[in-house]
Amino acid sequence: MSTQIQIVLSFVFFLILFTMIGIASSRYMSKSSEDYLVAGRSVNPWLVALSAVSTNNSGYMFIGLIGFTWRVGLEAVWITFGWILGDLITWFWVHKKVRSQSEAHNLVSVPALVATDHEGKNQKVIGIIAGLLTLFFLGGYAAAQLKAGSTTLHAIFGWPTWLGAVIGVVIVAIYCMSGGIRASIWTDAAQSLVMIFAMTMLLTACYLKVGGPSELFGALKAIDPKLVELFPDGLALGFGLYFLGFVFGGVTTIGQPHILVRFMAIDATESINKARNIYFVWYTFFSAAAFGVGLYSRVLLPDLTKGLSGAEAIAATEGALPYLSIEMLAPILIGVILAGLFSATMSTADSQILSCSAAVTQDVMPSFKKSYKAAKVATIGVAILALGIALGASSGVFALVLIAWSALGATLGPVLVIRLAQLPLPSWLAVLMMTTGLSIVIYWGASDWSGAVFKALPGFVAPLLIYLIFYLGFIRSKKNPQSTG
């Protein structure tokens, strides 16, 4: 049996397995939009935790982060550590409130939660804007996952880049249509197990080939001494703000509908603590393993960008994981790595497509709020949209993910913070906050400061400052005119 056939068989086995798990979940669903979008708020915390790990650790981790680590070396640890720390902050305050308030007001989408004020009244204009932002940026985020999957298949098999994206979107559409968010969570949990096994296997193979940290750092230093420098040079605003920017990258999980919807679907608010413990054990190990593989890939694939520059060089580094798998592993195990990577992309894309379909039917076109059929039609429509973006996008996976993540975090995140704190928020002020957040992200990304501080920090903080200025000053003075003298 040829090497390529062994790889394909191993890969196809897992794809069929994941698809069947998703289809099997349909046995437990009822034909209602609520069950389709939040699984009747009945999902076990183990499944929620593993699903959240898989959804968060997507093509960004397998493709983007490993490629970024190949390029910059040891200093990539700060994006990993900062992101985990910021994510942890949200777990202690945000997720329980998301679960309790979404149930109290019978909400099944994150834009609806953003649009519902402290008295339970829906502010329609905010829901429409939040829904459109979700559709636009989360659709682009899903496209990045499909692009990551196609990058892998192209690297290993030489298949045209469009084919991997098409395969991914077809499989995601099949099981999402079968079981909705429940199918997404079930398959994500299974994919999470394959992902962690695949990354552990490759990290072990690299360790046996190169050696431990001292051997690894020595080899990196021989290639380029800057690869073993922990702190980046030339930061215009200093290291503190540089690191804090990545912490806010994790904090802006607050604005990611495809992740938050899992906490709307968990079986009880009290289950969040258990899910958190499972999530962070898994997430921390997986992040460390991906970082380690990125460093080893620089040693084992030193000529990955030879003769290339600019976007072509970045694209080459984002193929480090599949190329390293070919270099280090037996054919059947390459199939497992490929399945793990493809699983990562699908586990995020499915959640994003479902969150976009929820935004369409619940917020942008609320007349279809109760329609189970409309939710399914929206799913297919969003899947086609994401595929179109993936086939036409010129940016790399890492860039696409960071743009979409920052934009959602800066627009939905600050408004959601105010909602979860149950503070008054007029529609005009919410719109101003979202506009400010998006404008800051766009401006900062194009400025000379983009490499000094991750755009999620100014994009998230600026809208909250807007709220403080207007609410504490203008609004309070109108409520208490005597305070003005």
Side-chain angles (χ1 to χ4, degrees), residues 252-327:
T252 45
T253 301
I254 296 170
Q256 310 306 316
H258 61 296
I259 297 176
L260 293 183
V261 71
R262 273 141 180 74
F263 309 112
M264 297 169 75
I266 199 168
D267 59 12
T269 301
E270 295 73 22
S271 297
I272 295 289
N273 288 342
K274 182 176 182 180
R276 181 187 64 226
N277 295 336
I278 299 165
Y279 175 90
F280 277 100
V281 169
W282 211 261
Y283 182 22
T284 302
F285 176 78
F286 189 87
S287 298
F291 172 68
V293 167
L295 293 177
Y296 277 116
S297 70
R298 185 61 191 264
V299 172
L300 295 167
L301 302 171
D303 299 324
L304 202 56
T305 59
K306 189 174 182 180
L308 302 174
S309 61
E312 289 184 341
I314 292 174
T317 63
E318 291 188 342
L321 179 67
Y323 289 129
L324 188 63
S325 302
I326 294 171
E327 184 80 17

Side-chain angles (χ1 to χ4, degrees), residues 5 7 11 38 43 53 61 83 95 114 117 142 156 201 224 326 341 371 380 416 442 459 479:
I5 290 176
I7 297 173
F11 173 59
V38 293
V43 182
V53 169
M61 190 75 74
W83 219 281
H95 300 332
V114 169
D117 69 15
I156 291 183
M201 181 176 59
D224 184 350
I326 294 171
L341 198 160
S371 174
I380 292 297
L416 188 56
I442 294 171
K479 283 187 174 182

Side-chain angles (χ1 to χ4, degrees), residues 164-434:
V166 171
I167 291 173
V169 82
V170 168
I171 291 173
V172 165
I174 288 173
Y175 64 71
C176 282
M177 291 288 288
S178 299
I181 192 67
R182 183 180 284 103
S184 172
I185 290 173
W186 281 31
T187 53
D188 287 357
Q191 289 161 354
S192 186
L193 298 174
V194 173
M195 286 163 56
I196 202 77
F197 174 74
M199 193 64 77
T200 302
M201 181 176 59
L202 185 57
L203 184 64
T204 302
C206 291
Y207 172 81
L208 294 174
K209 179 76 173 180
V210 176
S214 59
E215 292 84 1
L216 173 61
F217 294 163
L220 288 169
K221 188 174 183 178
I223 295 171
D224 184 350
K226 288 187 177 181
L227 293 173
V228 293
E229 292 181 4
L230 191 58
F231 299 97
D233 294 328
L235 295 175
L237 300 175
F239 176 76
L241 283 176
Y242 175 77
F243 176 67
L244 191 60
F246 293 134
V247 173
F248 269 80
V251 167
T252 45
T253 301
I254 296 170
Q256 310 306 316
H258 61 296
I259 297 176
L260 293 183
V261 71
R262 273 141 180 74
F263 309 112
M264 297 169 75
I266 199 168
D267 59 12
T269 301
E270 295 73 22
S271 297
I272 295 289
N273 288 342
K274 182 176 182 180
R276 181 187 64 226
N277 295 336
I278 299 165
Y279 175 90
F280 277 100
V281 169
W282 211 261
Y283 182 22
T284 302
F285 176 78
F286 189 87
S287 298
F291 172 68
V293 167
L295 293 177
Y296 277 116
S297 70
R298 185 61 191 264
V299 172
L300 295 167
L301 302 171
D303 299 324
L304 202 56
T305 59
K306 189 174 182 180
L308 302 174
S309 61
E312 289 184 341
I314 292 174
T317 63
E318 291 188 342
L321 179 67
Y323 289 129
L324 188 63
S325 302
I326 294 171
E327 184 80 17
M328 300 296 298
L329 301 174
I332 292 179
L333 297 181
I334 295 172
V336 176
I337 288 287
L338 181 57
L341 198 160
F342 212 72
S343 299
T345 65
M346 290 194 301
S347 68
T348 303
D350 59 13
S351 308
Q352 291 162 338
I353 288 170
L354 284 168
S355 291
C356 286
S357 65
V360 170
T361 58
Q362 302 294 308
D363 307 293
V364 179
M365 304 173 68
S367 58
F368 295 103
K369 186 176 291 188
K370 300 295 184 181
S371 174
Y372 172 68
K373 182 178 180 180
K376 283 196 165 188
V377 170
T379 299
I380 292 297
V382 172
I384 293 172
L385 173 65
L387 177 61
I389 296 172
L391 297 179
S394 58
S395 298
V397 173
F398 199 64
L400 282 173
V401 168
L402 294 185
I403 289 169
W405 183 282
S406 300
L408 288 167
T411 54
L412 304 187
V415 177
L416 188 56
V417 167
I418 304 303
R419 294 301 194 207
L420 297 178
Q422 298 187 331
L423 295 171
L425 180 62
S427 295
W428 65 267
L429 184 50
V431 172
L432 179 61
M433 289 172 66
M434 290 190 283

